[in-house]
Amino acid sequence: RVHPQTVIEHFGTWNAAKRAAGLFPRRFLTRDELLEQLRVLGDELARTPTARDLAARRRALPSASLYAHTFGSLANALREAGFEVLQGEERLERAIVQGAELAKALGRLPKMADWADARRNDHALLSEWQVYRLLDVPRGAWTAFQFLVRERLRDEDVEVLPDGNLGGGS
């Protein structure tokens, strides 16, 4: 391992060393430049970027922690960049709507594995674990989510049979 001071003495500055290594010096970006990078990434992905997206591009983009340090949180930076960032009840509501759509496509209430499969094709979906953690219950969070999806489907006049399969309806 090399001491950071040795690196600075050799390259002149820490950022010069990072540039020489092909890394992205993050320290001197303005707020506007940081926001623009989020917008460009969002355009590339055709969705709201996540911390995971930033981590996957860590050699080319600033880290989520820099956004958090600069804007208070990555979510704040995303909002300021013009992205929709849902929280709490809004996220749960979106997940229930998406769960009802997935149920209609499957012909039954979605299982956790179904959700994971669907997310591989649609990154607009929360991960199955994010959905799981939206429900603050001691046990059976996915079952609680299925109950909420069942209620949404019933509100839409879609029959949900006791086994979770969808029956007739509109």
Side-chain angles (χ1 to χ4, degrees):
R1 297 183 69 147
V2 178
H3 192 276
Q5 189 58 41
T6 304
V7 173
I8 292 169
E9 286 174 11
H10 182 74
F11 290 95
T13 67
W14 186 256
N15 280 336
K18 288 173 78 174
R19 281 187 200 93
L23 300 175
F24 187 77
R26 301 174 181 135
R27 178 177 292 169
F28 301 111
L29 293 174
T30 66
R31 289 174 66 91
D32 287 340
E33 289 169 329
L34 288 168
L35 294 172
E36 183 57 24
Q37 291 198 359
L38 281 178
R39 289 182 195 110
V40 168
L41 179 58
D43 288 345
E44 174 189 323
L45 298 169
R47 62 177 169 79
T48 301
T50 65
R52 184 172 288 179
D53 296 323
L54 293 172
R57 292 160 179 81
R58 69 180 173 270
R59 293 184 181 267
L61 293 174
S63 66
S65 64
L66 178 63
Y67 283 101
H69 176 75
T70 305
F71 296 91
S73 70
L74 177 58
N76 289 343
L78 289 166
R79 274 190 212 91
E80 199 167 320
F83 293 100
E84 178 184 43
V85 180
L86 302 177
Q87 294 181 324
E89 291 297 319
E90 295 171 320
R91 287 181 73 156
L92 179 58
E93 177 62 21
R94 172 76 54 88
I96 293 168
V97 167
Q98 291 172 337
E101 292 303 314
L102 181 56
K104 291 173 193 173
L106 295 169
R108 61 178 166 74
L109 293 174
K111 298 176 183 172
M112 205 171 187
D114 297 324
W115 192 277
D117 288 341
R119 185 167 192 278
R120 284 187 199 92
N121 298 320
D122 182 0
H123 289 286
L125 293 173
L126 297 172
S127 77
E128 66 276 17
W129 292 106
Q130 288 172 316
V131 172
Y132 189 88
R133 287 188 296 268
L134 284 172
L135 296 146
D136 188 19
V137 295
R139 289 195 181 118
W142 197 263
T143 302
F145 176 66
Q146 287 178 319
F147 174 80
L148 294 172
V149 170
R150 176 189 305 262
E151 292 302 304
R152 174 56 51 89
L153 290 167
R154 286 183 176 163
D155 289 346
E156 296 175 9
D157 294 323
V158 176
E159 181 184 12
V160 182
L161 303 173
D163 65 359
N165 285 316
L166 304 188
S170 54

